[in-house]
Amino acid sequence: MKLRIQLGLNVQEIRRSRGISQEALAHAADIDRGYVGKIENAKHAATIDVIEAIAKALDTEPMELLKPRC
Amino acid sequence: MKLRIQLGLNVQEIRRSRGISQEALAHAADIDRGYVGKIENAKHAATIDVIEAIAKALDTEPMELLKPRC
């Protein structure tokens, strides 16, 4: 469960740093907007395919999305 | 799809380097043995929760399982 929270916070942080809305990220990653919210709030267990699509949409390495939070 | 393949190869490489069988990894990660095989062969899209369980069972950081293959 901890990794879900890490993933969610990393996606949110990178998305915001890029000035991208949840809606724009969902569109770019070809996933449902509500789903982006559930991932950022650790309410849903994203698959490796969704993680890949989000990383591509955020123009970041997938590994960065699993980076431990300091 | 590329990330699935990366994940599968990384899981297999680390598992073998630890001298752990697919069965022992499945048991330690509390997932089905056949499922480990499907993840290693990129036939199945693992969730973030399964990636966390596998990383813990392999005593490695989850990020390492998404490391690009050289």
Side-chain angles (χ1 to χ4, degrees):
Chain A
M1 180 61 184
K2 205 188 102 201
L3 195 57
R4 270 199 207 190
I5 295 165
Q6 249 168 253
L7 172 67
L9 292 173
N10 287 332
V11 169
Q12 188 177 68
E13 186 179 75
I14 297 171
R15 175 177 65 75
R16 286 179 172 167
S17 73
R18 305 262 199 278
I20 300 174
S21 67
Q22 283 187 344
E23 200 150 6
L25 174 56
H27 183 72
D30 194 24
I31 55 180
D32 182 75
R33 195 197 73 71
Y35 192 44
V36 171
K38 284 188 185 123
I39 288 169
E40 289 191 357
N41 297 319
K43 295 281 183 289
H44 192 91
T47 68
I48 187 77
D49 295 346
V50 167
I51 292 168
E52 182 170 38
I54 289 176
K56 205 168 169 200
L58 291 175
D59 190 25
T60 189
E61 275 297 319
M63 280 181 84
E64 291 305 307
L65 297 182
L66 299 191
K67 209 170 55 177
R69 306 289 299 179
C70 309
Chain B
M1 181 60 182
K2 205 187 99 199
L3 194 58
R4 270 200 210 187
I5 296 165
Q6 247 167 257
L7 172 67
L9 293 174
N10 286 332
V11 169
Q12 188 177 68
E13 185 180 76
I14 297 171
R15 175 177 64 76
R16 285 179 174 167
S17 73
R18 304 262 199 279
I20 301 173
S21 66
Q22 285 187 341
E23 199 152 8
L25 175 55
H27 181 73
D30 195 24
I31 55 179
D32 182 76
R33 195 195 76 69
Y35 192 41
V36 171
K38 285 186 184 126
I39 289 169
E40 289 191 355
N41 298 317
K43 294 281 183 290
H44 192 91
T47 68
I48 188 79
D49 294 347
V50 167
I51 292 167
E52 183 171 38
I54 288 175
K56 205 168 167 195
L58 291 174
D59 190 27
T60 188
E61 274 298 317
M63 281 181 82
E64 291 305 308
L65 297 181
L66 299 191
K67 212 170 52 175
R69 308 287 300 178
C70 309

